[in-house]
Amino acid sequence: MLLALLAVAQTLLVWLTVRVEAARAQDNAETVAAQLVGDLRRDLTRAGQQLQALGWGDPALAGWRRGATELLRAHTELRRVERRDASLAVVDTLDSPFGPPLFDHLRRPQLSIEAEAACAAASRSSAASFSRSYFVPLAGGQGLEVVDLCVPVLQAGQQLGYLVGTYALSALLDGALALREDQSAPRVRDVQRYELSFIEGDGTRLARAGAARGAGVYVAERLVDLPGSALQLRVDSMAGRPSLISNLATALVLGLSLALFAVVLLLARDVRRRAEAERALAEALAFRKAMEDSLSTGLRARDLQGAITYVNPAFCAMVGFSAAELLARPAAAGPGTAVSPPYWPPEQAGEYQRRQAQRLATRPPRDALDARDLAEAREGFETVFMRKNGERFPVMIYEAPLVDGAGRHTGWMSAIVDIGAQRRMEEISRQQQDRLQATARLATVGEMASLLSHELNQPLAAIASYASGSLNLLQPEPQPASDSGLPPLPPEEERSLLRQALTRIAEQAERAGRIIKSVHGFVRRREQQHETLGADLLLEAVLPLVRLQARKSGTRIEIDIQPVPPALQLAGRTPRVRCDRTMIEQVLINLTRNAIQAMEAATPLAARVLVLRVRQTHARWVTFSVIDAGPGIAPDVATRLFTPFFTTREEGMGLGLSLCRTVIEQHGGALDYGAAPPRPGAAPGSPRGTEFRFTLPTPRQPDATAAQGAPETGDTAGLEPAERP
Ligand code: ADP
């Protein structure tokens, strides 16, 4: 395409050059012709004046002859001067000394017609007049084309005679040419390059001048308008048609120069662009460097062999090794001889080595497995690194494949965040939470102290009375019948009574022990641990303490656990949850205590019912409800219900509900409340009480005993708390 364009441009250039050259040559010819016409006319007009100046003078011919001889000497083109009388008879003649006499070969009277016609015209107009040109044969087959100029000589209005000058046309042309050369016109420097000629109307050449031969290509013809006659001047340049070859070469050189110039321009532009791009690149690099240096996140790049190819200052600061120390180490000296980076704790090097090998084997998503690995790497994983001083610290690593400009996978880029401080803060916060909850539990138990002592007193009193009864039975000496008024018992009956008493003692001791155990179990501080257990077990564990409180105010307790609907069944018919048992027990204790207390003031004894309800409403969630028949929650209380230390009770701490919400949210569930559902048989308009609800997650995997249950559907996995049942 470019070549074709170049060819067209070249052709056009050649054509234009040829055209311009031709036009200039033609133009030059025209100019030369115009100038020569001017010169010729001036010369001939002057010739007329000079002839006239000879005048008639005195009748003695001597004076006239002198003037005429001088004239002939001065003008080579003037070949002969005649003096004729009024009747045109030749009185005297003089021939030019520069050539053979004109009318030697043919006599003058034979060639006089033209001169006579001119004189007749001159006489008519009383002014100089030219004849038509005619041919004068000379000796040796030669000849000359001449023109006669006839000047009438008048004196006092009377025709005295005529002066006739005969001019050789070729000499006229030579004269004009010589004049041109002298003057050397500015535009036409080289008049010798033209052939000048006078021609007839049909193109026959009459006379020619000039050293050159015209090529007939650039020809200009002009009419030299003379009094009485006219001559056709032809100027023919010796230059032929412009040569294509020379022009082609010129055009080629010109074209190539232009192309070279264009290439140089393009190169210059390219160089400038490159410089600009380099500057932009340098700026981008500087920006990137500043950005990487200012990061507090460690950056590390590894090639596909696991060798570290780049680390940023933050990473060096994190692990305590300099960049040089990290980069110098090869990842593996060869197959089987792995060299671990210095920040890997030696005890875990093996596992890390395995993990690295797995990561390095992963290619940017080639298959589903890789895609999953990649997604995991992007999400980040937690691991432990070692500082130079041997200190271990937890880090979070996010990895992404490094892909070069050609789309090739060249390694892995990792962002490493030191999460030691975060972990410490989390630990402190967890410990504080634990302590707070333990304190809250102690406070709850403290509140229940009098109830507890009362509750323990009963079995203890029973134990004491059974014990004293048994002691009585075991008196060593039999009592006189008169003392008791009763006959002594037979030994078998006595043993049976003793067994009964001891059984009661054991029962009561066990009852007291249960109470102590439930309190102990509730107060005991344990490490947080999540376990999977049935909702019924959870309720059972708190029931002794709930009953303890309920009994005092005469509240009845209803347990309502609905079996899991078959569609949601994963593991058995009882709803099962995954939770930290102690914490959830505490939540249940708090909610039931609040419910019982709410019913203490205004609820009539008959209506005091506490409902503990469990429903599995969703494959992933189990809802627990604690429903009371209290006065409900006033709007001003509702706004601050979950604010820590908000309470309406004198002895209350105001921590119960806020703790409950924290605990449930830590489990991923949600806690809220609302008006209790209307009870069957309740009077319309009577206060409905309050329902506190919370959700707990079901275990993710169905356990082995219920493996035949419906598989867990994945579509509920991303439920937001608001969507949770
Ligand atoms: P405390 O029990 O120490 O007062 P909570 O945070 O458990 O602290 O409860 C805060 C307040 O919420 C209580 O003082 C009470 O006014 C109100 N409240 C809690 N549960 C109920 C309920 N079931 N019915 C009515 N009011 C309640």
Short mmCIF file of all heavy atoms in Angstrom, two decimals, residues 447 590-591 593-595 597-598 628 630-633 637 641 643 646-649 651-658 690 692, ligand 1:
data_model
loop_
_atom_site.label_atom_id
_atom_site.label_comp_id
_atom_site.label_asym_id
_atom_site.label_seq_id
_atom_site.Cartn_x
_atom_site.Cartn_y
_atom_site.Cartn_z
N GLU A 447 -27.83 -13.36 93.32
CA GLU A 447 -29.24 -12.99 93.43
C GLU A 447 -30.08 -14.18 93.89
O GLU A 447 -31.09 -14.03 94.56
CB GLU A 447 -29.76 -12.52 92.07
CG GLU A 447 -29.51 -11.06 91.78
CD GLU A 447 -30.14 -10.67 90.46
OE1 GLU A 447 -31.33 -10.97 90.25
OE2 GLU A 447 -29.43 -10.08 89.64
N ASN A 590 -30.65 -15.93 81.94
CA ASN A 590 -30.95 -14.49 81.98
C ASN A 590 -32.37 -14.22 81.49
O ASN A 590 -33.12 -13.46 82.10
CB ASN A 590 -29.97 -13.72 81.10
CG ASN A 590 -28.64 -13.52 81.80
OD1 ASN A 590 -28.55 -13.71 83.01
ND2 ASN A 590 -27.63 -13.14 81.04
N LEU A 591 -32.71 -14.82 80.34
CA LEU A 591 -34.01 -14.53 79.75
C LEU A 591 -35.14 -15.05 80.63
O LEU A 591 -36.16 -14.38 80.82
CB LEU A 591 -34.11 -15.12 78.34
CG LEU A 591 -33.15 -14.50 77.30
CD1 LEU A 591 -33.36 -15.16 75.94
CD2 LEU A 591 -33.38 -12.99 77.17
N ARG A 593 -35.00 -15.59 83.85
CA ARG A 593 -35.05 -14.80 85.08
C ARG A 593 -35.81 -13.49 84.82
O ARG A 593 -36.69 -13.11 85.57
CB ARG A 593 -33.62 -14.49 85.55
CG ARG A 593 -33.57 -13.89 86.93
CD ARG A 593 -32.24 -13.22 87.15
NE ARG A 593 -32.00 -12.26 86.06
CZ ARG A 593 -30.82 -11.70 85.87
NH1 ARG A 593 -29.80 -12.01 86.61
NH2 ARG A 593 -30.68 -10.82 84.90
N ASN A 594 -35.47 -12.82 83.68
CA ASN A 594 -36.18 -11.57 83.34
C ASN A 594 -37.69 -11.85 83.22
O ASN A 594 -38.51 -11.06 83.68
CB ASN A 594 -35.68 -11.01 82.01
CG ASN A 594 -34.37 -10.26 82.18
OD1 ASN A 594 -33.93 -10.03 83.31
ND2 ASN A 594 -33.74 -9.90 81.07
N ALA A 595 -38.02 -12.97 82.57
CA ALA A 595 -39.43 -13.29 82.33
C ALA A 595 -40.15 -13.52 83.66
O ALA A 595 -41.26 -13.00 83.89
CB ALA A 595 -39.52 -14.53 81.45
N GLN A 597 -39.27 -12.47 86.61
CA GLN A 597 -39.35 -11.21 87.36
C GLN A 597 -40.43 -10.31 86.79
O GLN A 597 -41.11 -9.59 87.52
CB GLN A 597 -37.99 -10.51 87.34
CG GLN A 597 -37.02 -11.15 88.32
CD GLN A 597 -35.59 -10.68 88.11
OE1 GLN A 597 -35.30 -9.99 87.14
NE2 GLN A 597 -34.72 -11.07 89.03
N ALA A 598 -40.60 -10.31 85.46
CA ALA A 598 -41.62 -9.45 84.86
C ALA A 598 -43.02 -9.85 85.30
O ALA A 598 -43.93 -9.02 85.35
CB ALA A 598 -41.51 -9.53 83.34
N ASP A 628 -43.18 -14.84 78.28
CA ASP A 628 -43.78 -14.63 79.61
C ASP A 628 -45.16 -14.02 79.44
O ASP A 628 -45.57 -13.69 78.33
CB ASP A 628 -42.87 -13.74 80.47
CG ASP A 628 -42.73 -12.35 79.90
OD1 ASP A 628 -43.76 -11.74 79.56
OD2 ASP A 628 -41.57 -11.85 79.77
N GLY A 630 -45.99 -11.33 81.27
CA GLY A 630 -45.79 -10.08 82.03
C GLY A 630 -46.46 -8.90 81.36
O GLY A 630 -47.23 -9.07 80.40
N PRO A 631 -46.14 -7.69 81.81
CA PRO A 631 -46.81 -6.50 81.31
C PRO A 631 -46.30 -6.04 79.94
O PRO A 631 -46.80 -5.05 79.40
CB PRO A 631 -46.49 -5.45 82.37
CG PRO A 631 -45.19 -5.90 82.96
CD PRO A 631 -45.17 -7.39 82.88
N GLY A 632 -45.30 -6.74 79.40
CA GLY A 632 -44.73 -6.27 78.12
C GLY A 632 -43.65 -5.22 78.38
O GLY A 632 -43.37 -4.88 79.54
N ILE A 633 -43.08 -4.71 77.31
CA ILE A 633 -41.97 -3.75 77.47
C ILE A 633 -42.44 -2.36 77.04
O ILE A 633 -42.90 -2.16 75.91
CB ILE A 633 -40.76 -4.21 76.66
CG1 ILE A 633 -40.22 -5.50 77.30
CG2 ILE A 633 -39.67 -3.15 76.63
CD1 ILE A 633 -39.15 -6.19 76.54
N VAL A 637 -38.52 1.93 77.75
CA VAL A 637 -37.57 0.87 78.15
C VAL A 637 -37.01 0.22 76.88
O VAL A 637 -35.81 -0.07 76.80
CB VAL A 637 -38.29 -0.17 79.03
CG1 VAL A 637 -37.34 -1.32 79.36
CG2 VAL A 637 -38.81 0.47 80.31
N LEU A 641 -33.16 -1.11 75.91
CA LEU A 641 -33.17 -2.47 76.44
C LEU A 641 -31.80 -3.13 76.41
O LEU A 641 -31.36 -3.74 77.38
CB LEU A 641 -34.15 -3.29 75.60
CG LEU A 641 -34.79 -4.47 76.28
CD1 LEU A 641 -35.50 -4.05 77.54
CD2 LEU A 641 -35.80 -5.12 75.33
N THR A 643 -28.87 -1.65 76.08
CA THR A 643 -27.75 -0.82 76.52
C THR A 643 -27.19 -1.41 77.82
O THR A 643 -27.96 -1.70 78.73
CB THR A 643 -28.24 0.61 76.81
OG1 THR A 643 -29.16 0.96 75.79
CG2 THR A 643 -27.11 1.61 76.87
N PHE A 646 -28.33 -0.74 81.71
CA PHE A 646 -29.70 -0.19 81.80
C PHE A 646 -30.58 -1.23 82.51
O PHE A 646 -30.65 -2.39 82.11
CB PHE A 646 -30.28 0.11 80.42
CG PHE A 646 -31.76 0.37 80.48
CD1 PHE A 646 -32.24 1.59 80.99
CD2 PHE A 646 -32.69 -0.61 80.11
CE1 PHE A 646 -33.60 1.81 81.09
CE2 PHE A 646 -34.05 -0.37 80.22
CZ PHE A 646 -34.50 0.83 80.71
N THR A 647 -31.24 -0.76 83.61
CA THR A 647 -32.12 -1.66 84.36
C THR A 647 -33.26 -0.86 84.97
O THR A 647 -33.14 0.35 85.15
CB THR A 647 -31.34 -2.41 85.46
OG1 THR A 647 -32.24 -3.25 86.17
CG2 THR A 647 -30.69 -1.45 86.44
N THR A 648 -34.37 -1.53 85.22
CA THR A 648 -35.46 -0.86 85.93
C THR A 648 -35.61 -1.48 87.32
O THR A 648 -36.50 -1.09 88.07
CB THR A 648 -36.78 -1.03 85.17
OG1 THR A 648 -37.02 -2.43 84.98
CG2 THR A 648 -36.76 -0.34 83.82
N ARG A 649 -34.73 -2.45 87.61
CA ARG A 649 -34.84 -3.09 88.91
C ARG A 649 -33.78 -2.56 89.84
O ARG A 649 -32.66 -2.24 89.41
CB ARG A 649 -34.67 -4.60 88.74
CG ARG A 649 -35.78 -5.23 87.91
CD ARG A 649 -35.70 -6.73 87.89
NE ARG A 649 -34.45 -7.19 87.26
CZ ARG A 649 -33.53 -7.89 87.92
NH1 ARG A 649 -33.71 -8.20 89.19
NH2 ARG A 649 -32.45 -8.30 87.30
N GLU A 651 -32.13 -4.07 92.30
CA GLU A 651 -30.96 -4.92 92.51
C GLU A 651 -30.36 -5.38 91.18
O GLU A 651 -29.40 -6.15 91.15
CB GLU A 651 -31.31 -6.11 93.41
CG GLU A 651 -32.19 -7.17 92.78
CD GLU A 651 -33.67 -6.82 92.74
OE1 GLU A 651 -34.05 -5.61 92.80
OE2 GLU A 651 -34.47 -7.73 92.62
N GLY A 652 -30.95 -4.90 90.06
CA GLY A 652 -30.48 -5.34 88.74
C GLY A 652 -29.14 -4.71 88.38
O GLY A 652 -28.77 -3.66 88.89
N MET A 653 -28.41 -5.43 87.49
CA MET A 653 -27.12 -4.91 87.01
C MET A 653 -27.28 -4.26 85.64
O MET A 653 -26.45 -3.47 85.23
CB MET A 653 -26.11 -6.05 86.88
CG MET A 653 -25.59 -6.55 88.20
SD MET A 653 -23.81 -6.42 88.26
CE MET A 653 -23.32 -7.48 86.94
N GLY A 654 -28.30 -4.67 84.94
CA GLY A 654 -28.52 -4.10 83.61
C GLY A 654 -27.58 -4.66 82.55
O GLY A 654 -27.42 -4.10 81.47
N LEU A 655 -26.93 -5.81 82.85
CA LEU A 655 -25.99 -6.39 81.87
C LEU A 655 -26.59 -7.56 81.11
O LEU A 655 -26.10 -7.95 80.07
CB LEU A 655 -24.73 -6.88 82.60
CG LEU A 655 -23.72 -5.80 82.95
CD1 LEU A 655 -22.58 -6.40 83.75
CD2 LEU A 655 -23.19 -5.16 81.67
N GLY A 656 -27.67 -8.12 81.71
CA GLY A 656 -28.22 -9.37 81.19
C GLY A 656 -28.46 -9.37 79.70
O GLY A 656 -27.86 -10.15 78.95
N LEU A 657 -29.31 -8.46 79.21
CA LEU A 657 -29.71 -8.50 77.80
C LEU A 657 -28.56 -8.16 76.86
O LEU A 657 -28.44 -8.76 75.79
CB LEU A 657 -30.90 -7.57 77.58
CG LEU A 657 -32.22 -8.12 78.10
CD1 LEU A 657 -33.34 -7.12 77.89
CD2 LEU A 657 -32.56 -9.44 77.43
N SER A 658 -27.72 -7.18 77.27
CA SER A 658 -26.62 -6.82 76.36
C SER A 658 -25.66 -8.01 76.22
O SER A 658 -25.16 -8.29 75.12
CB SER A 658 -25.90 -5.57 76.85
OG SER A 658 -24.97 -5.87 77.83
N THR A 690 -44.26 -10.82 76.86
CA THR A 690 -43.14 -10.59 75.93
C THR A 690 -42.56 -11.92 75.48
O THR A 690 -42.55 -12.89 76.24
CB THR A 690 -42.04 -9.78 76.64
OG1 THR A 690 -42.66 -8.72 77.37
CG2 THR A 690 -41.04 -9.22 75.67
N PHE A 692 -38.98 -13.27 73.98
CA PHE A 692 -37.58 -13.05 73.56
C PHE A 692 -37.17 -14.25 72.72
O PHE A 692 -37.35 -15.39 73.14
CB PHE A 692 -36.67 -12.89 74.78
CG PHE A 692 -36.62 -11.48 75.28
CD1 PHE A 692 -37.56 -11.02 76.19
CD2 PHE A 692 -35.65 -10.60 74.81
CE1 PHE A 692 -37.53 -9.71 76.63
CE2 PHE A 692 -35.62 -9.29 75.25
CZ PHE A 692 -36.55 -8.84 76.16
P1 ADP B 1 -31.48 -6.55 84.66
O1 ADP B 1 -32.22 -7.83 84.55
O2 ADP B 1 -30.26 -6.62 85.47
O3 ADP B 1 -32.32 -5.38 84.94
P2 ADP B 1 -31.41 -6.81 81.81
O4 ADP B 1 -30.53 -6.25 80.80
O5 ADP B 1 -31.61 -8.27 81.84
O6 ADP B 1 -30.93 -6.25 83.23
O7 ADP B 1 -32.84 -6.14 81.62
C1 ADP B 1 -32.97 -4.76 81.46
C2 ADP B 1 -34.35 -4.31 81.66
O8 ADP B 1 -35.19 -4.79 80.66
C3 ADP B 1 -34.95 -4.83 82.92
O9 ADP B 1 -34.64 -4.01 84.03
C4 ADP B 1 -36.46 -4.78 82.59
O10 ADP B 1 -36.98 -3.50 82.84
C5 ADP B 1 -36.52 -4.98 81.13
N1 ADP B 1 -36.95 -6.33 80.77
C6 ADP B 1 -36.15 -7.38 80.48
N2 ADP B 1 -36.86 -8.49 80.21
C7 ADP B 1 -38.18 -8.16 80.31
C8 ADP B 1 -39.41 -8.85 80.16
N3 ADP B 1 -39.46 -10.17 79.80
N4 ADP B 1 -40.57 -8.17 80.34
C9 ADP B 1 -40.53 -6.87 80.69
N5 ADP B 1 -39.39 -6.14 80.85
C10 ADP B 1 -38.24 -6.79 80.68
#
